[in-house]
Amino acid sequence: MFVSYVELHCHSAFSFLDGASLPDELVATALELGHSTLALTDHNSVSGAMEFAVSARALGLRPIHGAEIDLDDGRHLTLLVKDARGWSNLCRILTRAHAHTRERPGPPSPPFVSLATVLEHADGLVCLSGCALRGIHDEFTLLRLREAFGAERVRIELQRPFLRDDRTRNRRLVELARRLGLRCIATGNVHAHARARAPLQDAFVAIRLHTTLDASEPERRGNFSHVLCSPEAMAARFP
């Protein structure tokens, strides 16, 4: 069956203080917009997986489970579950990511894992290169990912958050993928199911940074590129 576009990078409210929509809101809106499949890739977590799966089954959407993983060097990558082995490995990676977060009294520290941990648990997972600004965009690391996952389970992720260098960055990534024998995919880095939730997402960013809305403006998205779009709209974004 031909599928015109599948959103493979999507955050729910279980990406705490970042995602602004519940999984059932994302599922219902995805179907209204014409999607048949949706991936949920919350930050360092599969906490929303059950709610996502139940809503998707009830409404007739095909769910793909995954997570966006923070690495210990500050970069991100996105992992999608292909099979039962992949689910097991994703859970092991996330367990490692959170293992050190409560070693001291007080609030937990941010979760992260080493790239070596991801490479060690690659079976059954598909790896996307990650966000426009903090993804894996260097040849050396992508070669290591290709060796561990295989060329068919690594994708160079292209995004258009409507920043000044979007087109230049994407052209460079397409050329990098060509050199490495990898394929590209487009993603929306979704953080809200509707435009009306964008102000809430802005507020979450300010709270997460312990600052005001005005002071957090450089860190906020500033547009609606992170709102779930129809397949047709995404095709127009990536002609």
Side-chain angles (χ1 to χ4, degrees):
M1 180 181 68
F2 174 74
V3 179
S4 61
Y5 177 80
V6 175
E7 184 55 71
L8 296 177
H9 192 139
C10 180
H11 300 281
S12 76
F14 288 92
S15 287
F16 299 109
L17 293 183
D18 197 23
S21 299
L22 294 171
D24 58 348
E25 293 174 318
L26 290 163
V27 169
T29 302
L31 287 167
E32 291 173 3
L33 292 172
H35 292 272
S36 61
T37 305
L38 179 70
L40 188 66
T41 56
D42 281 316
H43 289 294
N44 303 299
S45 173
V46 289
S47 300
M50 180 61 73
E51 184 175 331
F52 178 54
V54 169
S55 297
R57 176 177 291 182
L59 297 179
L61 184 81
R62 179 192 174 198
I64 298 175
H65 297 282
E68 186 173 45
I69 305 297
D70 282 22
L71 300 179
D72 55 9
D73 60 8
R75 294 184 292 176
H76 297 167
L77 51 77
T78 311
L79 298 177
L80 303 175
V81 171
K82 183 180 179 183
D83 53 31
R85 177 66 173 166
W87 177 259
S88 175
N89 274 330
L90 179 60
C91 291
R92 290 175 185 274
I93 291 168
L94 293 173
T95 299
R96 294 269 190 95
H98 288 267
H100 63 275
T101 59
R102 296 182 181 273
E103 292 176 344
R104 297 184 300 274
S109 57
F112 59 80
V113 294
S114 66
L115 179 64
T117 296
V118 174
L119 300 179
E120 180 186 349
H121 297 88
D123 288 352
L125 293 169
V126 174
C127 180
L128 314 184
S129 61
C131 290
L133 300 184
R134 295 177 63 187
I136 306 297
H137 298 158
D138 69 288
E139 185 167 337
F140 176 72
T141 308
L142 287 168
L143 283 171
R144 294 183 67 189
L145 291 170
R146 188 183 70 179
E147 181 179 358
F149 286 85
E152 287 301 307
R153 290 191 291 119
V154 177
R155 294 288 184 271
I156 304 295
E157 196 169 347
L158 306 179
Q159 297 180 352
R160 287 202 65 197
F162 300 112
L163 299 175
R164 182 178 301 173
D165 61 346
D166 278 356
R167 294 181 184 275
T168 301
R169 180 186 62 256
N170 284 337
R171 282 195 295 266
R172 180 174 60 82
L173 290 174
V174 168
E175 175 57 25
L176 179 59
R178 187 194 63 78
R179 290 202 312 270
L180 299 181
L182 301 174
R183 286 190 283 177
C184 295
I185 62 163
T187 71
N189 196 13
V190 171
H191 285 71
H193 77 289
R195 290 167 69 99
R197 288 294 172 85
L200 177 60
Q201 207 272 333
D202 289 344
F204 282 160
V205 172
I207 294 169
R208 190 174 73 246
L209 297 175
H210 303 287
T211 188
T212 65
L213 280 170
D214 288 343
S216 68
E217 186 173 352
E219 301 296 327
R220 292 192 271 118
R221 297 178 188 277
N223 57 48
F224 298 104
S225 66
H226 61 297
V227 175
L228 185 64
C229 293
S230 68
E232 292 78 14
M234 292 305 293
R237 189 181 297 184
F238 294 92

